[in-house]
Amino acid sequence: MNIFRLTGDLSHLAAIIILLLKIWKTRSCAGISGKSQLLFALVFTTRYLDLLTSFISLYNTTMKLIYIGCAYATVYLIYVKFKATYDGNHDTFRVEFLVVPVGGLAFLVNHDFSPLEILWTFSIYLESVSILPQLFMISKTGEAETITTHYLFFLGLYRALYLINWVWRFYFEGFFDMIAIVAGIVQTILYCDFFYLYVTKVLKGKKLSLPA
């Protein structure tokens, strides 16, 4: 494992922990898109079905279980424990416009036409757009809490580091995965505008806001 993948994993873990702590400490999920979190839970569930069929390493298995567990814990906090604080009026992105096309694409473009491979491919494509409901929600409310922007920053950083990881693996291992690379590029592009606002506003102590 190279340093870019490791730091990417740690950035991803940091994002998840930041979000969970934010919800738990404030006893509120205000400003958090439940739909994005449902999509992420679906992403991890379909991606890590190989836990039932193969063992790669203790690190690999542990991280997969953490991602799945944290994803469903977040969904539980939003839709059950702190449901009264969930802002469903602004979380209105039509996720079927993401899930259905992504499902169709996974059937058409994959490495191997087998159930596990199609589901893995589906998860890669879906993850690249899962943040859209959250960004859409921020655009509707016009602003985001600082802690929420930190969560989004580390989530975007994770994808950017994974892109570097793919480049590293291509040059030093000869490994090339077009599906993962293209999906990673799409996801990173979606974060570009947010990254700019994060650096120019949040890091300077200002509140992040997007045009409504």
Side-chain angles (χ1 to χ4, degrees), residues 4-212:
F4 299 111
R5 166 140 186 210
L6 178 60
T7 52
D9 285 344
L10 293 178
S11 294
H12 195 185
L13 189 59
I16 293 171
I17 292 174
I18 286 171
L19 181 62
L20 281 171
L21 287 178
K22 182 267 182 194
I23 296 174
W24 188 257
K25 285 189 173 183
T26 62
R27 318 296 286 182
S28 169
C29 55
I32 303 299
S33 168
K35 291 186 176 182
S36 270
Q37 297 310 312
L38 280 172
L39 291 178
F40 283 126
L42 181 58
V43 164
F44 297 137
T45 302
T46 53
R47 180 175 303 171
Y48 299 142
L49 288 173
D50 64 343
L51 283 169
L52 303 174
T53 61
S54 61
F55 177 81
I56 298 174
S57 68
L58 180 61
Y59 171 84
N60 184 276
T61 298
T62 301
M63 292 300 285
K64 288 177 179 179
L65 291 173
I66 288 175
Y67 291 150
I68 294 172
C70 287
Y72 281 99
T74 303
V75 169
Y76 168 77
L77 293 179
I78 294 173
Y79 286 102
V80 180
K81 190 168 184 62
F82 302 123
K83 183 179 179 180
T85 64
Y86 170 54
D87 187 9
N89 291 328
H90 287 113
D91 194 14
T92 57
F93 193 94
R94 300 284 297 277
V95 294
E96 61 269 28
F97 291 153
L98 300 178
V99 176
V100 174
V102 162
L105 185 62
F107 267 96
L108 296 172
V109 184
N110 51 67
H111 294 309
D112 179 47
F113 198 74
S114 64
L116 281 180
E117 189 63 32
I118 291 172
L119 288 171
W120 178 86
T121 306
F122 170 79
S123 77
I124 295 294
Y125 292 152
L126 185 60
E127 186 184 20
S128 70
V129 293
S130 289
I131 200 61
L132 283 176
Q134 180 67 64
L135 297 178
F136 183 71
M137 187 176 186
I138 293 175
S139 71
K140 287 195 71 175
T141 58
E143 60 184 23
E145 294 180 22
T146 299
I147 193 68
T148 304
T149 63
H150 293 332
Y151 158 71
L152 290 172
F153 172 77
F154 278 102
L155 204 58
L157 181 62
Y158 139 68
R159 289 315 308 174
L161 287 168
Y162 253 65
L163 270 183
I164 301 174
N165 162 63
W166 292 123
V167 173
W168 175 280
R169 293 191 66 183
F170 174 71
Y171 277 102
F172 293 96
E173 301 174 16
F175 182 82
F176 184 77
D177 189 327
M178 179 62 75
I179 289 176
I181 291 174
V182 172
I185 291 173
V186 170
Q187 189 170 359
T188 304
I189 289 174
L190 291 178
Y191 282 95
C192 284
D193 187 47
F194 168 80
F195 279 146
Y196 172 76
L197 293 173
Y198 185 86
V199 171
T200 59
K201 290 190 176 183
V202 179
L203 293 184
K204 294 181 179 179
K206 300 176 183 178
K207 199 165 189 176
L208 183 143
S209 60
L210 294 173

